[in-house]
Amino acid sequence: MVLSLLTVYLLSSSLSRLTAVNSTHSPRMVFTDKETAMKRLPLPGQQAPVRILLEGPDTITAVGQKHLISFNFHNSQKTRVERRVMWKECKYGLTERGCNYNITVVHKREEANQVFVCGTNDMETMCCDMNLSEQSPMCTPSEKMGSIKDSIRDFIIMEGEPSALVESAGSEDLYITYSGSKEYVGIHKFGRKRVGPPKHNKEQHYVGLVFSRRRSSTLQDKVYAFYKEKNGDTGLYSEMWLPFVTRVCTADIGGPKNNLQFSWTSQVNARLFCGDTTSGQHFSELVDVATVQADRWQETRVYALFRNEWGMSAVCVYTIQDIDNIFMTSPFKGYSMANSESRPRKCVADSTKIPLDALRMIEKTSEMEQWVRPMNNSGPLLFNPHSYSHIYVDSSHQRKHHHPVLFLSLKNGGIHKVMQNENPTFVIAEYRPFHHWTHILGVILHPSSRKLYVNSRSELVQLDVANCAQYGDNCEECVLARDPYCGWKGSRCTPATTDSLQDVAQGNHAICAFVSKLPEKAFIYAHETHADEAEGITLAPQSKYFLQCPVSSHHAQYTWHHLENSTSCSSREPQCLLLIDSMGPEQVGTYRCVSEERGYSRVLAEYQLQLESRAAHHSSSSLVWVCQMAVLIGAIFICTGHC
């Protein structure tokens, strides 16, 4: 039995070392609910929530297909409040068809507690406004959105499609995508004028819509959509998916009768490039996008998550200005620049008056010859072997140093917290909010409280991503964390303020030397143990034993020192273990486990081993060995379930 346990341990250790990725790709620390504060609440029903709305730092409303479910994370004793959505037109018998609507679109309005929703059944779609504070929320169409209600009735909205609600003087327009391979796949506009995509036979799947308002000229307001398209080239070395961005003008009302009537005249599209030209690495499958709006429309950024055929992920960042430059200056595919000039690039006041020659060209092609490249013509800010499924970006300007934080969901139900930097992007930590493998459907952050909300189909979890004490109780460890949300102040690692000590860009712990020489400075080496404090262990001759050392930072190097000998460990394992294979006189002495990270060293564990006299019972040492192995093997398999 002992030999079989040892074999399992050694095999697990070997596989861990063989599969370990570069430390720049792996999270520095891993947090479960044992290391950081997490609160969980079950989501009732069989259907996943359509959208999670933040009502406050601890108050959440999950909009389901037929119900509103409110949660209060601050008061765990308070039960959830579930309210069924009522449709006014159904109540008064104003609709001719069935009223069994499932909510598919949710947009939060600027007014408190007000939301715009659309519900779909198998026959029609209903859109209306709703007050979240009402005890029995009634979905009532407003006068302002009347044109949306009338034009969208016969359109069936697919679950999960990106949408954008655009308000203007006295009316509103809803932009929503339709993914798949049918002839009406593309962007649809419902409102004063219904406009849709021209007929085509391409398979497209949309992942994001961005509304770009031009305050100096509302005529030039635009909507950008991001999608992946099935490659028509099925050759052996061709990618399955091609990434695109497309653009339409909000002023577009379609062409004249018999020429693109009710179809986009302003739509243009271009390929997105994400990759490293020096290494030849590129990513072609667009997975998700996150938008960071700016005061100037040109500086609005789109963080696009990609995947390649090997399952590796990458994030590239594009600005609306760079995208717009391609649409304004590139020749159209298959046309010279001279021939391309006859087609209008800017949005026009009346698209029904576009010349016939330009309309014919629009019908033939809308694709640009040039590709859109990431901002500053840079490569991916992140690419690694992990397979991510969602991206959320916090780019609030309240921090001392402006470093956006990315939250990327893993397919096993974990979350990576990543700090964007000009140097290689830094993976701060991995959170494991769920007790089992699951698919994450949504990620959203409450900016001021730094509470992250993650939901699967059946559970909603609140994480405190500014729980800074988890990084350690000395200045060096706090700075090495490179967490924009945390800094060293006084004698603790706390949520960052303007006077916190931190070096997010480099993690240079030498700045801790400039901290005033106050009594709390003694905390720096509080975890070091000395020979007279070392744990004494007496072992029987020829017995086996594991010395244990905790692993916190997976970017550090861990080494056991005994006399003149040293043995290193893999930082990917939950413990730095040293096997005493056969206890004898040579094994007697002091063993120290030392971690080293970016020049900062500390003693994590220290043991004083002594040799027991031969009169000791062999059976007891064997029992200790077996029990210890059982505990260690359990820890190993817990790790490999998530690693």
Side-chain angles (χ1 to χ4, degrees):
M1 178 180 177
V2 171
L3 289 176
S4 63
L5 287 171
L6 179 59
T7 302
V8 171
Y9 166 73
L10 293 176
L11 177 60
S12 175
S13 297
S14 299
L15 289 174
S16 178
R17 289 183 175 88
L18 287 171
T19 59
V21 295
N22 189 296
S23 63
T24 59
H25 298 150
S26 61
R28 180 177 178 269
M29 301 186 78
V30 175
F31 300 125
T32 65
D33 54 4
K34 295 179 181 179
E35 292 84 21
T36 190
M38 297 185 189
K39 296 180 181 179
R40 295 182 176 82
L41 290 173
L43 292 169
Q46 300 299 317
Q47 298 295 328
V50 179
R51 187 171 176 186
I52 302 294
L53 300 176
L54 302 181
E55 303 300 318
D58 291 292
T59 307
I60 305 298
T61 296
V63 181
Q65 291 187 343
K66 297 183 183 298
H67 295 82
L68 303 180
I69 308 169
S70 299
F71 301 93
N72 189 321
F73 281 89
H74 180 69
N75 185 358
S76 58
Q77 301 300 319
K78 188 176 181 180
T79 58
R80 68 174 184 263
V81 178
E82 188 170 337
R83 295 165 291 164
R84 185 176 179 84
V85 174
M86 307 296 292
W87 302 83
K88 184 175 181 179
E89 297 208 357
C90 294
K91 182 177 179 181
Y92 294 103
L94 300 177
T95 178
E96 298 175 0
R97 303 178 184 178
C99 284
N100 190 27
Y101 297 109
N102 290 327
I103 294 176
T104 49
V105 173
V106 181
H107 283 282
K108 199 169 184 179
R109 293 192 178 275
E110 293 183 2
E111 299 87 356
N113 300 316
Q114 296 293 321
V115 292
F116 169 92
V117 301
C118 292
T120 302
N121 58 21
D122 294 334
M123 298 176 287
E124 66 175 4
T125 294
M126 178 72 67
C127 294
C128 48
D129 286 324
M130 187 167 55
N131 189 333
L132 296 178
S133 63
E134 292 178 352
Q135 189 64 34
S136 299
M138 180 68 71
C139 204
T140 306
S142 64
E143 183 177 341
K144 191 176 183 180
M145 57 167 291
S147 54
I148 295 178
K149 180 179 74 73
D150 295 336
S151 61
I152 203 173
R153 180 163 296 243
D154 295 325
F155 183 78
I156 305 301
I157 299 174
M158 293 180 64
E159 182 180 351
E161 290 290 339
S163 60
L165 184 64
V166 177
E167 299 186 54
S168 56
S171 64
E172 296 172 329
D173 292 319
L174 177 68
Y175 295 80
I176 191 165
T177 62
Y178 193 97
S179 299
S181 55
K182 297 180 181 180
E183 61 182 17
Y184 39 85
V185 164
I187 308 173
H188 294 260
K189 172 187 175 182
F190 300 97
R192 292 162 297 177
K193 296 289 184 178
R194 177 171 176 173
V195 187
K199 293 182 180 180
H200 61 80
N201 59 358
K202 298 175 181 178
E203 181 177 351
Q204 298 173 347
H205 295 269
Y206 287 78
V207 300
L209 275 181
V210 180
F211 171 56
S212 178
R213 187 183 295 279
R214 314 297 165 91
R215 301 187 186 281
S216 58
S217 175
T218 56
L219 177 61
Q220 300 305 315
D221 288 351
K222 300 178 177 71
V223 172
Y224 298 84
F226 297 82
Y227 65 94
K228 63 179 182 180
E229 182 176 293
K230 195 75 169 288
N231 193 353
D233 183 356
T234 57
L236 181 62
Y237 299 104
S238 299
E239 296 92 352
M240 180 179 292
W241 298 102
L242 304 176
F244 279 91
V245 58
T246 187
R247 179 219 76 183
V248 295
C249 297
T250 61
D252 194 343
I253 58 173
K257 190 174 182 180
N258 300 325
N259 286 283
L260 292 176
Q261 187 178 18
F262 309 123
S263 297
W264 297 112
T265 63
S266 60
Q267 185 166 13
V268 287
N269 39 282
R271 282 276 300 273
L272 294 169
F273 175 78
C274 181
D276 184 355
T277 54
T278 57
S279 66
Q281 181 78 263
H282 71 283
F283 299 82
S284 60
E285 183 181 357
L286 183 60
V287 178
D288 194 19
V289 296
T291 306
V292 176
Q293 294 284 353
D295 293 335
R296 298 180 65 248
W297 68 263
Q298 297 93 331
E299 297 172 0
T300 293
R301 297 184 181 188
V302 177
Y303 289 72
L305 174 62
F306 291 86
R307 194 161 42 217
N308 67 8
E309 64 272 21
W310 306 108
M312 295 183 65
S313 296
V315 175
C316 282
V317 187
Y318 308 89
T319 65
I320 294 298
Q321 182 172 38
D322 289 341
I323 295 171
D324 212 50
N325 284 342
I326 294 297
F327 290 146
M328 296 299 292
T329 61
S330 169
F332 285 89
K333 196 171 183 178
Y335 288 80
S336 66
M337 193 62 200
N339 292 333
S340 299
E341 291 302 323
S342 61
R343 181 170 175 173
R345 304 290 183 121
K346 291 186 176 182
C347 302
V348 298
D350 188 351
S351 56
T352 63
K353 296 181 180 180
I354 295 175
L356 184 59
D357 289 345
L359 289 172
R360 288 173 179 165
M361 181 181 173
I362 291 170
E363 286 184 293
K364 289 181 179 179
T365 183
S366 292
E367 185 175 347
M368 297 293 168
E369 187 72 42
Q370 297 176 7
W371 293 11
V372 178
R373 294 184 174 271
M375 60 181 298
N376 302 323
N377 205 27
S378 60
L381 64 89
L382 167 81
F383 67 92
N384 62 35
H386 300 287
S387 182
Y388 297 121
S389 56
H390 291 289
I391 181 171
Y392 181 91
V393 179
D394 175 27
S395 189
S396 57
H397 297 268
Q398 300 173 6
R399 299 189 293 271
K400 183 166 67 172
H401 303 293
H402 181 61
H403 289 279
V405 177
L406 285 60
F407 295 96
L408 297 153
S409 65
L410 294 154
K411 61 182 180 181
N412 65 2
I415 295 282
H416 277 182
K417 179 166 68 170
V418 179
M419 185 270 295
Q420 182 186 345
N421 191 25
E422 294 179 359
N423 297 320
T425 301
F426 185 72
V427 185
I428 302 167
E430 176 180 327
Y431 295 95
R432 295 176 180 171
F434 302 99
H435 289 141
H436 54 276
W437 283 53
T438 189
H439 181 62
I440 289 177
L441 299 176
V443 179
I444 188 169
L445 180 77
H446 188 268
S448 60
S449 68
R450 308 300 190 202
K451 299 291 178 60
L452 188 75
Y453 294 90
V454 183
N455 75 279
S456 65
R457 183 173 293 275
S458 60
E459 200 170 14
L460 176 64
V461 183
Q462 182 197 67
L463 311 175
D464 183 1
V465 294
N467 186 9
C468 306
Q470 62 200 354
Y471 294 124
D473 55 7
N474 65 61
C475 178
E476 283 81 353
E477 290 178 291
C478 186
V479 173
L480 282 169
R482 297 176 65 184
D483 191 331
Y485 300 145
C486 299
W488 184 258
K489 186 174 182 180
S491 60
R492 294 184 301 143
C493 193
T494 63
T497 58
T498 54
D499 57 347
S500 297
L501 190 66
Q502 59 176 187
D503 182 9
V504 175
Q506 301 294 332
N508 181 13
H509 59 84
I511 63 174
C512 291
F514 297 100
V515 177
S516 301
K517 303 296 182 179
L518 297 173
E520 63 262 23
K521 189 62 179 174
F523 279 89
I524 290 180
Y525 298 105
H527 280 290
E528 294 196 2
T529 55
H530 303 283
D532 57 348
E533 300 173 354
E535 180 181 348
I537 299 175
T538 302
L539 299 177
Q542 300 180 352
S543 62
K544 302 178 186 295
Y545 195 83
F546 271 111
L547 298 179
Q548 302 180 49
C549 176
V551 169
S552 55
S553 170
H554 295 286
H555 290 185
Q557 294 179 335
Y558 296 83
T559 308
W560 282 101
H561 297 275
H562 172 239
L563 301 177
E564 301 300 322
N565 301 319
S566 61
T567 305
S568 61
C569 291
S570 169
S571 62
R572 296 286 294 170
E573 296 168 5
Q575 292 273 339
C576 177
L577 304 175
L578 180 66
L579 172 63
I580 306 300
D581 187 48
S582 180
M583 185 63 188
E586 298 83 3
Q587 282 69 47
V588 172
T590 302
Y591 291 77
R592 289 187 180 91
C593 177
V594 179
S595 71
E596 192 278 330
E597 183 176 6
R598 301 176 67 88
Y600 172 62
S601 299
R602 58 194 293 253
V603 177
L604 299 175
E606 189 168 357
Y607 301 93
Q608 188 72 30
L609 263 59
Q610 298 175 356
L611 186 62
E612 189 180 66
S613 66
R614 290 187 177 272
H617 296 290
H618 173 72
S619 59
S620 62
S621 62
S622 298
L623 180 60
V624 169
W625 161 251
V626 172
C627 292
Q628 187 186 24
M629 281 302 304
V631 172
L632 294 174
I633 295 299
I636 290 167
F637 283 111
I638 288 172
C639 173
T640 55
H642 262 287
C643 296

